[in-house]
Amino acid sequence: MGETLKGLLYIGVAVIPVTGYLFMDMVFYFKSKKSKREIFFKRKFALKTIARPYIALVIRIYPGYQRLSETDKLRFQNRMVNFLNRYDIISKGNLNLKPEDKILIAASYTKLTFGYKNYLIGSFNKIVVYPDAFLYKPDNRYHIGQFNPSQKALVFSWKDFLEGYQNTADGRNLALHEFTHALMFYFASPRKNNTNSATIFSENYKEIIRLTREPLMQNRLRNSGLIREYAFTDSFELIAVLVELYFEKQTALKTSFPQIYRLVAMMLSQKPE
């Protein structure tokens, strides 16, 4: 589950529990002396939302947020808070992630999984973030991202995470790529994970793989100039690259490969535009 990129290996992130209460539309943030964990307050009997100053960060990650209905905007925010509640985000090295940085991570995951009913998955429980490329001792190589199912961890280079959003039209996004690996690992076997979301993902995933293995289609994909060669390493990498393209080069993917575009949209349980 890795990719060589700029001399580095592109493979595959921890977040904070979100507990407490949200009053009005403000989020109160502090560090608990008892648990030494960051806490985001939330409302007890309503959808949990994030503070207004953070909305601009959400839009930076997901411009489509602005086109959502007011109800869906609240639902999107609620899912972000639930994500931060569920997964630990751990800074490594000299990196000190701020609350707004963790909002960027939560928004990245939420835009990818917004179509699913069952969106909090069990293939990872922490997100580890390094300042830059990190040494992975088992292969003694530097990586910019990794999904490690045995450790239930996603690992990111923060530099490369941010670069994925500085150029939103190059078809490369580290967060989407690695989160997709985690989704594939969790949803690919609906027998083990008997949910509607797993079924939707698995059925369309299999159809994408079947279609892209057809010699004529594979030749078209390889010669299109749209899909980088690394995507053909294996089916996991192909799906991750297609998801990157779905969000970053949607028009080009839809025009060149409309059937694949529709299948990716259905796999993500999102409405094709």
Side-chain angles (χ1 to χ4, degrees):
M1 299 178 187
E3 175 176 358
T4 301
L5 178 62
K6 297 178 182 178
L8 302 174
L9 191 65
Y10 186 131
I11 327 178
V13 201
V15 195
I16 45 189
V18 185
T19 56
Y21 300 93
L22 172 68
F23 300 97
M24 304 300 289
D25 60 355
M26 298 178 63
V27 171
F28 297 89
Y29 169 84
F30 70 96
K31 280 192 175 181
S32 166
K33 292 182 179 179
K34 183 177 180 180
S35 65
K36 295 183 180 180
R37 289 173 177 263
E38 294 133 317
I39 306 296
F40 282 79
F41 278 77
K42 65 185 181 184
R43 185 175 303 176
K44 188 174 184 181
F45 299 113
L47 286 176
K48 301 174 288 292
T49 59
I50 63 173
R52 284 184 178 177
Y54 290 149
I55 298 300
L57 298 176
V58 176
I59 294 171
R60 172 185 170 189
I61 297 299
Y62 180 45
Y65 175 87
Q66 299 174 91
R67 299 191 296 272
L68 297 177
S69 67
E70 291 305 312
T71 298
D72 280 345
K73 286 178 180 177
L74 291 175
R75 191 163 65 91
F76 194 97
Q77 293 182 47
N78 184 65
R79 287 188 171 207
M80 287 177 59
V81 175
N82 289 339
F83 173 91
L84 293 168
N85 240 338
R86 173 73 175 266
Y87 306 106
D88 284 328
I89 298 180
I90 305 166
S91 303
K92 289 289 189 178
N94 61 358
L95 182 67
N96 182 24
L97 291 176
K98 301 177 179 63
E100 52 266 34
D101 297 325
K102 296 173 183 182
I103 289 290
L104 297 178
I105 295 172
S108 298
Y109 181 83
T110 302
K111 82 170 184 178
L112 176 64
T113 60
F114 196 50
Y116 298 129
K117 178 180 179 181
N118 313 99
Y119 64 96
L120 297 175
I121 61 176
S123 54
F124 69 99
N125 56 28
K126 55 186 171 289
I127 300 167
V128 181
V129 189
Y130 287 86
D132 206 331
F134 52 91
L135 180 66
Y136 183 56
K137 292 183 179 179
D139 64 8
N140 198 35
R141 298 179 67 180
Y142 281 89
H143 301 256
I144 62 173
Q146 183 183 57
F147 167 55
N148 189 327
S150 64
Q151 298 296 318
K152 287 200 167 187
L154 281 159
V155 191
F156 289 159
S157 151
W158 189 237
K159 172 178 174 288
D160 292 277
F161 176 98
L162 293 176
E163 284 183 358
Y165 289 104
Q166 289 167 357
N167 185 345
T168 58
D170 64 353
R172 294 173 182 261
N173 185 291
L174 178 65
L176 291 175
H177 191 101
E178 302 305 340
F179 277 135
T180 299
H181 282 323
L183 285 177
M184 283 188 283
F185 189 85
Y186 190 70
F187 282 156
S189 179
R191 291 182 180 179
K192 295 181 180 179
N193 179 18
N194 188 24
T195 65
N196 182 59
S197 299
T199 300
I200 291 171
F201 186 98
S202 179
E203 289 179 353
N204 289 287
Y205 164 83
K206 290 175 182 177
E207 183 59 21
I208 293 171
I209 298 305
R210 183 201 65 76
L211 179 62
T212 55
R213 283 178 178 171
E214 293 179 358
L216 183 60
M217 177 60 77
Q218 187 159 123
N219 187 57
R220 284 187 59 211
L221 289 167
R222 287 181 180 275
N223 294 318
S224 67
L226 181 62
I227 301 177
R228 58 190 186 271
E229 186 63 27
Y230 177 73
F232 301 99
T233 303
D234 54 42
S235 60
F236 273 68
E237 299 302 341
L238 176 61
I239 295 296
V241 169
L242 288 175
V243 168
E244 290 177 276
L245 292 172
Y246 176 81
F247 283 99
E248 294 217 338
K249 290 191 171 184
Q250 195 166 97
T251 300
L253 182 62
K254 182 179 180 180
T255 301
S256 300
F257 302 100
Q259 190 174 0
I260 292 176
Y261 168 81
R262 287 192 298 272
L263 287 169
V264 173
M266 290 189 291
M267 181 182 72
L268 298 176
S269 196
Q270 300 196 9
K271 294 181 180 179
E273 295 185 1

mmCIF file of all heavy atoms in Angstrom, residues 221-264:
data_model
loop_
_atom_site.group_PDB
_atom_site.id
_atom_site.type_symbol
_atom_site.label_atom_id
_atom_site.label_comp_id
_atom_site.label_asym_id
_atom_site.label_seq_id
_atom_site.Cartn_x
_atom_site.Cartn_y
_atom_site.Cartn_z
ATOM 1 N N LEU A 221 -6.816 3.216 -20.002
ATOM 2 C CA LEU A 221 -6.427 3.863 -18.747
ATOM 3 C C LEU A 221 -4.941 4.215 -18.740
ATOM 4 O O LEU A 221 -4.551 5.328 -18.371
ATOM 5 C CB LEU A 221 -6.751 2.954 -17.563
ATOM 6 C CG LEU A 221 -8.233 2.760 -17.224
ATOM 7 C CD1 LEU A 221 -8.408 1.603 -16.255
ATOM 8 C CD2 LEU A 221 -8.837 4.033 -16.640
ATOM 9 N N ARG A 222 -4.118 3.275 -19.170
ATOM 10 C CA ARG A 222 -2.673 3.488 -19.163
ATOM 11 C C ARG A 222 -2.240 4.591 -20.129
ATOM 12 O O ARG A 222 -1.257 5.291 -19.879
ATOM 13 C CB ARG A 222 -1.952 2.187 -19.507
ATOM 14 C CG ARG A 222 -1.974 1.144 -18.398
ATOM 15 C CD ARG A 222 -1.227 -0.109 -18.818
ATOM 16 N NE ARG A 222 -1.231 -1.127 -17.796
ATOM 17 C CZ ARG A 222 -0.356 -1.207 -16.780
ATOM 18 N NH1 ARG A 222 0.607 -0.297 -16.680
ATOM 19 N NH2 ARG A 222 -0.421 -2.187 -15.908
ATOM 20 N N ASN A 223 -2.959 4.733 -21.213
ATOM 21 C CA ASN A 223 -2.576 5.704 -22.240
ATOM 22 C C ASN A 223 -3.331 7.024 -22.145
ATOM 23 O O ASN A 223 -3.166 7.894 -23.002
ATOM 24 C CB ASN A 223 -2.785 5.099 -23.635
ATOM 25 C CG ASN A 223 -1.854 3.932 -23.909
ATOM 26 O OD1 ASN A 223 -0.672 3.981 -23.579
ATOM 27 N ND2 ASN A 223 -2.377 2.870 -24.492
ATOM 28 N N SER A 224 -4.138 7.167 -21.127
ATOM 29 C CA SER A 224 -4.987 8.360 -21.017
ATOM 30 C C SER A 224 -4.226 9.596 -20.561
ATOM 31 O O SER A 224 -4.655 10.725 -20.796
ATOM 32 C CB SER A 224 -6.144 8.090 -20.049
ATOM 33 O OG SER A 224 -5.643 7.930 -18.721
ATOM 34 N N GLY A 225 -3.111 9.400 -19.865
ATOM 35 C CA GLY A 225 -2.394 10.529 -19.281
ATOM 36 C C GLY A 225 -3.061 11.045 -18.019
ATOM 37 O O GLY A 225 -2.575 11.988 -17.396
ATOM 38 N N LEU A 226 -4.167 10.434 -17.641
ATOM 39 C CA LEU A 226 -4.912 10.870 -16.461
ATOM 40 C C LEU A 226 -4.515 10.086 -15.223
ATOM 41 O O LEU A 226 -4.427 10.642 -14.125
ATOM 42 C CB LEU A 226 -6.418 10.700 -16.723
ATOM 43 C CG LEU A 226 -7.379 11.114 -15.611
ATOM 44 C CD1 LEU A 226 -7.248 12.611 -15.322
ATOM 45 C CD2 LEU A 226 -8.820 10.757 -15.988
ATOM 46 N N ILE A 227 -4.269 8.813 -15.412
ATOM 47 C CA ILE A 227 -4.004 7.921 -14.280
ATOM 48 C C ILE A 227 -2.531 7.547 -14.250
ATOM 49 O O ILE A 227 -2.010 6.965 -15.200
ATOM 50 C CB ILE A 227 -4.882 6.655 -14.373
ATOM 51 C CG1 ILE A 227 -6.357 7.072 -14.377
ATOM 52 C CG2 ILE A 227 -4.580 5.700 -13.224
ATOM 53 C CD1 ILE A 227 -7.319 5.939 -14.527
ATOM 54 N N ARG A 228 -1.839 7.888 -13.177
ATOM 55 C CA ARG A 228 -0.416 7.616 -13.077
ATOM 56 C C ARG A 228 -0.147 6.113 -13.011
ATOM 57 O O ARG A 228 -0.952 5.338 -12.507
ATOM 58 C CB ARG A 228 0.201 8.340 -11.885
ATOM 59 C CG ARG A 228 -0.379 8.036 -10.517
ATOM 60 C CD ARG A 228 0.184 9.030 -9.500
ATOM 61 N NE ARG A 228 -0.200 8.757 -8.131
ATOM 62 C CZ ARG A 228 -1.297 9.236 -7.563
ATOM 63 N NH1 ARG A 228 -2.142 9.973 -8.255
ATOM 64 N NH2 ARG A 228 -1.552 8.968 -6.283
ATOM 65 N N GLU A 229 1.007 5.731 -13.495
ATOM 66 C CA GLU A 229 1.356 4.322 -13.633
ATOM 67 C C GLU A 229 1.304 3.572 -12.306
ATOM 68 O O GLU A 229 0.958 2.391 -12.252
ATOM 69 C CB GLU A 229 2.755 4.196 -14.247
ATOM 70 C CG GLU A 229 3.172 2.770 -14.579
ATOM 71 C CD GLU A 229 2.294 2.101 -15.632
ATOM 72 O OE1 GLU A 229 1.706 2.824 -16.467
ATOM 73 O OE2 GLU A 229 2.192 0.856 -15.613
ATOM 74 N N TYR A 230 1.618 4.269 -11.232
ATOM 75 C CA TYR A 230 1.626 3.625 -9.917
ATOM 76 C C TYR A 230 0.276 3.006 -9.566
ATOM 77 O O TYR A 230 0.202 2.038 -8.815
ATOM 78 C CB TYR A 230 2.011 4.648 -8.849
ATOM 79 C CG TYR A 230 1.962 4.078 -7.461
ATOM 80 C CD1 TYR A 230 2.946 3.183 -7.038
ATOM 81 C CD2 TYR A 230 0.925 4.384 -6.590
ATOM 82 C CE1 TYR A 230 2.892 2.626 -5.764
ATOM 83 C CE2 TYR A 230 0.865 3.841 -5.328
ATOM 84 C CZ TYR A 230 1.849 2.958 -4.920
ATOM 85 O OH TYR A 230 1.783 2.403 -3.680
ATOM 86 N N ALA A 231 -0.792 3.525 -10.140
ATOM 87 C CA ALA A 231 -2.129 3.015 -9.839
ATOM 88 C C ALA A 231 -2.274 1.550 -10.210
ATOM 89 O O ALA A 231 -3.124 0.841 -9.651
ATOM 90 C CB ALA A 231 -3.186 3.842 -10.576
ATOM 91 N N PHE A 232 -1.446 1.082 -11.141
ATOM 92 C CA PHE A 232 -1.581 -0.294 -11.615
ATOM 93 C C PHE A 232 -0.724 -1.274 -10.819
ATOM 94 O O PHE A 232 -0.558 -2.433 -11.207
ATOM 95 C CB PHE A 232 -1.234 -0.357 -13.104
ATOM 96 C CG PHE A 232 -2.122 0.536 -13.938
ATOM 97 C CD1 PHE A 232 -1.688 1.791 -14.341
ATOM 98 C CD2 PHE A 232 -3.413 0.147 -14.261
ATOM 99 C CE1 PHE A 232 -2.508 2.628 -15.074
ATOM 100 C CE2 PHE A 232 -4.246 0.980 -14.993
ATOM 101 C CZ PHE A 232 -3.789 2.225 -15.400
ATOM 102 N N THR A 233 -0.186 -0.810 -9.688
ATOM 103 C CA THR A 233 0.579 -1.696 -8.803
ATOM 104 C C THR A 233 -0.282 -2.858 -8.336
ATOM 105 O O THR A 233 0.121 -4.019 -8.363
ATOM 106 C CB THR A 233 1.105 -0.913 -7.581
ATOM 107 O OG1 THR A 233 1.895 0.183 -8.025
ATOM 108 C CG2 THR A 233 1.911 -1.813 -6.670
ATOM 109 N N ASP A 234 -1.491 -2.545 -7.864
ATOM 110 C CA ASP A 234 -2.458 -3.558 -7.450
ATOM 111 C C ASP A 234 -3.818 -2.879 -7.341
ATOM 112 O O ASP A 234 -3.944 -1.666 -7.538
ATOM 113 C CB ASP A 234 -2.059 -4.227 -6.128
ATOM 114 C CG ASP A 234 -1.817 -3.232 -4.995
ATOM 115 O OD1 ASP A 234 -2.609 -2.268 -4.877
ATOM 116 O OD2 ASP A 234 -0.857 -3.416 -4.225
ATOM 117 N N SER A 235 -4.844 -3.668 -7.034
ATOM 118 C CA SER A 235 -6.202 -3.131 -6.999
ATOM 119 C C SER A 235 -6.382 -2.096 -5.889
ATOM 120 O O SER A 235 -7.149 -1.136 -6.046
ATOM 121 C CB SER A 235 -7.226 -4.261 -6.828
ATOM 122 O OG SER A 235 -7.013 -4.971 -5.624
ATOM 123 N N PHE A 236 -5.657 -2.253 -4.764
ATOM 124 C CA PHE A 236 -5.780 -1.293 -3.670
ATOM 125 C C PHE A 236 -5.288 0.077 -4.104
ATOM 126 O O PHE A 236 -5.905 1.103 -3.797
ATOM 127 C CB PHE A 236 -4.984 -1.774 -2.446
ATOM 128 C CG PHE A 236 -5.756 -2.675 -1.538
ATOM 129 C CD1 PHE A 236 -6.129 -3.942 -1.939
ATOM 130 C CD2 PHE A 236 -6.120 -2.253 -0.266
ATOM 131 C CE1 PHE A 236 -6.855 -4.774 -1.107
ATOM 132 C CE2 PHE A 236 -6.845 -3.074 0.583
ATOM 133 C CZ PHE A 236 -7.218 -4.342 0.157
ATOM 134 N N GLU A 237 -4.160 0.104 -4.809
ATOM 135 C CA GLU A 237 -3.624 1.383 -5.250
ATOM 136 C C GLU A 237 -4.476 1.995 -6.359
ATOM 137 O O GLU A 237 -4.655 3.211 -6.408
ATOM 138 C CB GLU A 237 -2.171 1.225 -5.716
ATOM 139 C CG GLU A 237 -1.212 0.735 -4.642
ATOM 140 C CD GLU A 237 -1.180 1.634 -3.415
ATOM 141 O OE1 GLU A 237 -1.599 2.807 -3.497
ATOM 142 O OE2 GLU A 237 -0.732 1.160 -2.355
ATOM 143 N N LEU A 238 -5.010 1.149 -7.232
ATOM 144 C CA LEU A 238 -5.857 1.663 -8.306
ATOM 145 C C LEU A 238 -7.089 2.363 -7.734
ATOM 146 O O LEU A 238 -7.434 3.476 -8.147
ATOM 147 C CB LEU A 238 -6.287 0.524 -9.230
ATOM 148 C CG LEU A 238 -7.253 0.918 -10.356
ATOM 149 C CD1 LEU A 238 -6.623 1.949 -11.285
ATOM 150 C CD2 LEU A 238 -7.704 -0.310 -11.144
ATOM 151 N N ILE A 239 -7.753 1.738 -6.774
ATOM 152 C CA ILE A 239 -8.948 2.332 -6.181
ATOM 153 C C ILE A 239 -8.598 3.640 -5.476
ATOM 154 O O ILE A 239 -9.315 4.646 -5.602
ATOM 155 C CB ILE A 239 -9.618 1.352 -5.201
ATOM 156 C CG1 ILE A 239 -10.137 0.118 -5.941
ATOM 157 C CG2 ILE A 239 -10.747 2.046 -4.442
ATOM 158 C CD1 ILE A 239 -11.236 0.413 -6.938
ATOM 159 N N ALA A 240 -7.484 3.661 -4.743
ATOM 160 C CA ALA A 240 -7.092 4.872 -4.028
ATOM 161 C C ALA A 240 -6.813 6.017 -4.994
ATOM 162 O O ALA A 240 -7.200 7.169 -4.742
ATOM 163 C CB ALA A 240 -5.864 4.600 -3.157
ATOM 164 N N VAL A 241 -6.148 5.724 -6.104
ATOM 165 C CA VAL A 241 -5.858 6.760 -7.106
ATOM 166 C C VAL A 241 -7.140 7.236 -7.773
ATOM 167 O O VAL A 241 -7.320 8.443 -8.014
ATOM 168 C CB VAL A 241 -4.844 6.236 -8.143
ATOM 169 C CG1 VAL A 241 -4.737 7.204 -9.329
ATOM 170 C CG2 VAL A 241 -3.471 6.043 -7.497
ATOM 171 N N LEU A 242 -8.058 6.333 -8.069
ATOM 172 C CA LEU A 242 -9.329 6.725 -8.672
ATOM 173 C C LEU A 242 -10.129 7.633 -7.740
ATOM 174 O O LEU A 242 -10.801 8.570 -8.197
ATOM 175 C CB LEU A 242 -10.146 5.491 -9.043
ATOM 176 C CG LEU A 242 -9.646 4.686 -10.245
ATOM 177 C CD1 LEU A 242 -10.471 3.424 -10.428
ATOM 178 C CD2 LEU A 242 -9.674 5.521 -11.529
ATOM 179 N N VAL A 243 -10.067 7.362 -6.445
ATOM 180 C CA VAL A 243 -10.765 8.227 -5.483
ATOM 181 C C VAL A 243 -10.128 9.617 -5.469
ATOM 182 O O VAL A 243 -10.836 10.634 -5.425
ATOM 183 C CB VAL A 243 -10.754 7.603 -4.073
ATOM 184 C CG1 VAL A 243 -11.202 8.623 -3.022
ATOM 185 C CG2 VAL A 243 -11.669 6.377 -4.039
ATOM 186 N N GLU A 244 -8.806 9.684 -5.514
ATOM 187 C CA GLU A 244 -8.136 10.982 -5.608
ATOM 188 C C GLU A 244 -8.633 11.749 -6.830
ATOM 189 O O GLU A 244 -8.941 12.947 -6.762
ATOM 190 C CB GLU A 244 -6.627 10.791 -5.701
ATOM 191 C CG GLU A 244 -5.960 10.295 -4.433
ATOM 192 C CD GLU A 244 -4.478 10.059 -4.632
ATOM 193 O OE1 GLU A 244 -4.101 8.971 -5.116
ATOM 194 O OE2 GLU A 244 -3.680 10.970 -4.323
ATOM 195 N N LEU A 245 -8.710 11.055 -7.962
ATOM 196 C CA LEU A 245 -9.159 11.696 -9.207
ATOM 197 C C LEU A 245 -10.622 12.108 -9.118
ATOM 198 O O LEU A 245 -11.008 13.153 -9.659
ATOM 199 C CB LEU A 245 -8.953 10.743 -10.388
ATOM 200 C CG LEU A 245 -7.495 10.445 -10.759
ATOM 201 C CD1 LEU A 245 -7.436 9.337 -11.809
ATOM 202 C CD2 LEU A 245 -6.797 11.703 -11.268
ATOM 203 N N TYR A 246 -11.432 11.307 -8.463
ATOM 204 C CA TYR A 246 -12.854 11.624 -8.333
ATOM 205 C C TYR A 246 -13.051 12.978 -7.654
ATOM 206 O O TYR A 246 -13.932 13.754 -8.035
ATOM 207 C CB TYR A 246 -13.569 10.524 -7.539
ATOM 208 C CG TYR A 246 -15.028 10.826 -7.292
ATOM 209 C CD1 TYR A 246 -15.983 10.591 -8.275
ATOM 210 C CD2 TYR A 246 -15.445 11.372 -6.077
ATOM 211 C CE1 TYR A 246 -17.324 10.890 -8.061
ATOM 212 C CE2 TYR A 246 -16.780 11.675 -5.856
ATOM 213 C CZ TYR A 246 -17.712 11.420 -6.846
ATOM 214 O OH TYR A 246 -19.037 11.726 -6.630
ATOM 215 N N PHE A 247 -12.221 13.263 -6.655
ATOM 216 C CA PHE A 247 -12.365 14.526 -5.938
ATOM 217 C C PHE A 247 -11.574 15.662 -6.584
ATOM 218 O O PHE A 247 -11.969 16.826 -6.494
ATOM 219 C CB PHE A 247 -11.925 14.363 -4.476
ATOM 220 C CG PHE A 247 -12.945 13.668 -3.621
ATOM 221 C CD1 PHE A 247 -12.833 12.315 -3.338
ATOM 222 C CD2 PHE A 247 -14.033 14.357 -3.115
ATOM 223 C CE1 PHE A 247 -13.781 11.666 -2.553
ATOM 224 C CE2 PHE A 247 -14.980 13.725 -2.328
ATOM 225 C CZ PHE A 247 -14.865 12.376 -2.051
ATOM 226 N N GLU A 248 -10.441 15.355 -7.213
ATOM 227 C CA GLU A 248 -9.565 16.424 -7.686
ATOM 228 C C GLU A 248 -9.633 16.666 -9.193
ATOM 229 O O GLU A 248 -9.312 17.769 -9.651
ATOM 230 C CB GLU A 248 -8.120 16.123 -7.282
ATOM 231 C CG GLU A 248 -7.894 16.140 -5.783
ATOM 232 C CD GLU A 248 -6.546 16.717 -5.407
ATOM 233 O OE1 GLU A 248 -5.641 16.722 -6.267
ATOM 234 O OE2 GLU A 248 -6.404 17.168 -4.246
ATOM 235 N N LYS A 249 -9.976 15.652 -9.967
ATOM 236 C CA LYS A 249 -10.086 15.811 -11.423
ATOM 237 C C LYS A 249 -11.398 15.203 -11.896
ATOM 238 O O LYS A 249 -11.438 14.393 -12.822
ATOM 239 C CB LYS A 249 -8.900 15.165 -12.131
ATOM 240 C CG LYS A 249 -7.579 15.889 -11.936
ATOM 241 C CD LYS A 249 -6.508 15.356 -12.880
ATOM 242 C CE LYS A 249 -5.266 16.226 -12.840
ATOM 243 N NZ LYS A 249 -4.241 15.786 -13.814
ATOM 244 N N GLN A 250 -12.466 15.639 -11.246
ATOM 245 C CA GLN A 250 -13.761 15.022 -11.475
ATOM 246 C C GLN A 250 -14.224 15.165 -12.919
ATOM 247 O O GLN A 250 -14.701 14.199 -13.525
ATOM 248 C CB GLN A 250 -14.788 15.624 -10.516
ATOM 249 C CG GLN A 250 -16.065 14.827 -10.416
ATOM 250 C CD GLN A 250 -16.920 15.244 -9.237
ATOM 251 O OE1 GLN A 250 -17.842 16.040 -9.415
ATOM 252 N NE2 GLN A 250 -16.620 14.717 -8.059
ATOM 253 N N THR A 251 -14.083 16.339 -13.492
ATOM 254 C CA THR A 251 -14.533 16.560 -14.868
ATOM 255 C C THR A 251 -13.758 15.693 -15.849
ATOM 256 O O THR A 251 -14.337 15.076 -16.753
ATOM 257 C CB THR A 251 -14.392 18.049 -15.248
ATOM 258 O OG1 THR A 251 -15.186 18.829 -14.358
ATOM 259 C CG2 THR A 251 -14.848 18.283 -16.679
ATOM 260 N N ALA A 252 -12.448 15.632 -15.692
ATOM 261 C CA ALA A 252 -11.621 14.824 -16.590
ATOM 262 C C ALA A 252 -11.962 13.346 -16.465
ATOM 263 O O ALA A 252 -12.055 12.626 -17.474
ATOM 264 C CB ALA A 252 -10.142 15.054 -16.283
ATOM 265 N N LEU A 253 -12.163 12.859 -15.236
ATOM 266 C CA LEU A 253 -12.508 11.456 -15.033
ATOM 267 C C LEU A 253 -13.879 11.148 -15.629
ATOM 268 O O LEU A 253 -14.068 10.117 -16.299
ATOM 269 C CB LEU A 253 -12.494 11.129 -13.542
ATOM 270 C CG LEU A 253 -12.782 9.668 -13.162
ATOM 271 C CD1 LEU A 253 -11.729 8.732 -13.740
ATOM 272 C CD2 LEU A 253 -12.859 9.498 -11.642
ATOM 273 N N LYS A 254 -14.814 12.051 -15.413
ATOM 274 C CA LYS A 254 -16.178 11.859 -15.927
ATOM 275 C C LYS A 254 -16.204 11.869 -17.447
ATOM 276 O O LYS A 254 -16.916 11.075 -18.075
ATOM 277 C CB LYS A 254 -17.080 12.958 -15.381
ATOM 278 C CG LYS A 254 -18.532 12.848 -15.800
ATOM 279 C CD LYS A 254 -19.341 13.973 -15.176
ATOM 280 C CE LYS A 254 -20.809 13.894 -15.579
ATOM 281 N NZ LYS A 254 -21.594 14.991 -14.958
ATOM 282 N N THR A 255 -15.424 12.742 -18.058
ATOM 283 C CA THR A 255 -15.398 12.851 -19.519
ATOM 284 C C THR A 255 -14.685 11.665 -20.167
ATOM 285 O O THR A 255 -15.168 11.107 -21.151
ATOM 286 C CB THR A 255 -14.693 14.163 -19.936
ATOM 287 O OG1 THR A 255 -15.387 15.270 -19.363
ATOM 288 C CG2 THR A 255 -14.668 14.306 -21.452
ATOM 289 N N SER A 256 -13.551 11.274 -19.606
ATOM 290 C CA SER A 256 -12.736 10.213 -20.213
ATOM 291 C C SER A 256 -13.245 8.819 -19.895
ATOM 292 O O SER A 256 -13.226 7.930 -20.755
ATOM 293 C CB SER A 256 -11.283 10.343 -19.739
ATOM 294 O OG SER A 256 -10.736 11.591 -20.101
ATOM 295 N N PHE A 257 -13.731 8.626 -18.670
ATOM 296 C CA PHE A 257 -14.166 7.298 -18.235
ATOM 297 C C PHE A 257 -15.471 7.417 -17.446
ATOM 298 O O PHE A 257 -15.488 7.233 -16.228
ATOM 299 C CB PHE A 257 -13.079 6.633 -17.382
ATOM 300 C CG PHE A 257 -11.766 6.496 -18.087
ATOM 301 C CD1 PHE A 257 -10.730 7.396 -17.837
ATOM 302 C CD2 PHE A 257 -11.569 5.500 -19.032
ATOM 303 C CE1 PHE A 257 -9.521 7.291 -18.495
ATOM 304 C CE2 PHE A 257 -10.355 5.383 -19.698
ATOM 305 C CZ PHE A 257 -9.327 6.280 -19.440
ATOM 306 N N PRO A 258 -16.564 7.722 -18.132
ATOM 307 C CA PRO A 258 -17.832 7.971 -17.431
ATOM 308 C C PRO A 258 -18.328 6.777 -16.616
ATOM 309 O O PRO A 258 -18.902 6.962 -15.544
ATOM 310 C CB PRO A 258 -18.801 8.327 -18.561
ATOM 311 C CG PRO A 258 -18.158 7.801 -19.805
ATOM 312 C CD PRO A 258 -16.692 7.908 -19.583
ATOM 313 N N GLN A 259 -18.096 5.552 -17.110
ATOM 314 C CA GLN A 259 -18.555 4.379 -16.377
ATOM 315 C C GLN A 259 -17.781 4.210 -15.073
ATOM 316 O O GLN A 259 -18.361 3.926 -14.021
ATOM 317 C CB GLN A 259 -18.419 3.124 -17.236
ATOM 318 C CG GLN A 259 -19.088 1.897 -16.645
ATOM 319 C CD GLN A 259 -19.063 0.707 -17.583
ATOM 320 O OE1 GLN A 259 -18.534 0.780 -18.699
ATOM 321 N NE2 GLN A 259 -19.624 -0.416 -17.147
ATOM 322 N N ILE A 260 -16.472 4.405 -15.140
ATOM 323 C CA ILE A 260 -15.648 4.313 -13.928
ATOM 324 C C ILE A 260 -16.015 5.435 -12.963
ATOM 325 O O ILE A 260 -16.126 5.215 -11.749
ATOM 326 C CB ILE A 260 -14.150 4.368 -14.285
ATOM 327 C CG1 ILE A 260 -13.757 3.086 -15.045
ATOM 328 C CG2 ILE A 260 -13.297 4.534 -13.033
ATOM 329 C CD1 ILE A 260 -12.320 3.078 -15.522
ATOM 330 N N TYR A 261 -16.232 6.624 -13.496
ATOM 331 C CA TYR A 261 -16.639 7.761 -12.668
ATOM 332 C C TYR A 261 -17.910 7.440 -11.878
ATOM 333 O O TYR A 261 -17.985 7.674 -10.666
ATOM 334 C CB TYR A 261 -16.846 8.990 -13.555
ATOM 335 C CG TYR A 261 -17.532 10.139 -12.868
ATOM 336 C CD1 TYR A 261 -16.821 11.015 -12.048
ATOM 337 C CD2 TYR A 261 -18.904 10.351 -13.027
ATOM 338 C CE1 TYR A 261 -17.458 12.066 -11.409
ATOM 339 C CE2 TYR A 261 -19.539 11.409 -12.394
ATOM 340 C CZ TYR A 261 -18.815 12.254 -11.583
ATOM 341 O OH TYR A 261 -19.443 13.291 -10.940
ATOM 342 N N ARG A 262 -18.913 6.882 -12.567
ATOM 343 C CA ARG A 262 -20.178 6.559 -11.894
ATOM 344 C C ARG A 262 -19.988 5.471 -10.843
ATOM 345 O O ARG A 262 -20.583 5.533 -9.762
ATOM 346 C CB ARG A 262 -21.225 6.123 -12.923
ATOM 347 C CG ARG A 262 -21.776 7.263 -13.768
ATOM 348 C CD ARG A 262 -23.007 6.829 -14.542
ATOM 349 N NE ARG A 262 -22.722 5.747 -15.477
ATOM 350 C CZ ARG A 262 -22.314 5.929 -16.726
ATOM 351 N NH1 ARG A 262 -22.153 7.164 -17.196
ATOM 352 N NH2 ARG A 262 -22.071 4.908 -17.523
ATOM 353 N N LEU A 263 -19.152 4.490 -11.157
ATOM 354 C CA LEU A 263 -18.910 3.405 -10.200
ATOM 355 C C LEU A 263 -18.189 3.911 -8.948
ATOM 356 O O LEU A 263 -18.491 3.477 -7.833
ATOM 357 C CB LEU A 263 -18.101 2.288 -10.866
ATOM 358 C CG LEU A 263 -18.854 1.423 -11.872
ATOM 359 C CD1 LEU A 263 -17.887 0.536 -12.651
ATOM 360 C CD2 LEU A 263 -19.906 0.562 -11.167
ATOM 361 N N VAL A 264 -17.225 4.813 -9.122
ATOM 362 C CA VAL A 264 -16.530 5.384 -7.965
ATOM 363 C C VAL A 264 -17.517 6.172 -7.109
ATOM 364 O O VAL A 264 -17.523 6.063 -5.877
ATOM 365 C CB VAL A 264 -15.355 6.276 -8.397
ATOM 366 C CG1 VAL A 264 -14.747 6.997 -7.193
ATOM 367 C CG2 VAL A 264 -14.284 5.442 -9.097
#
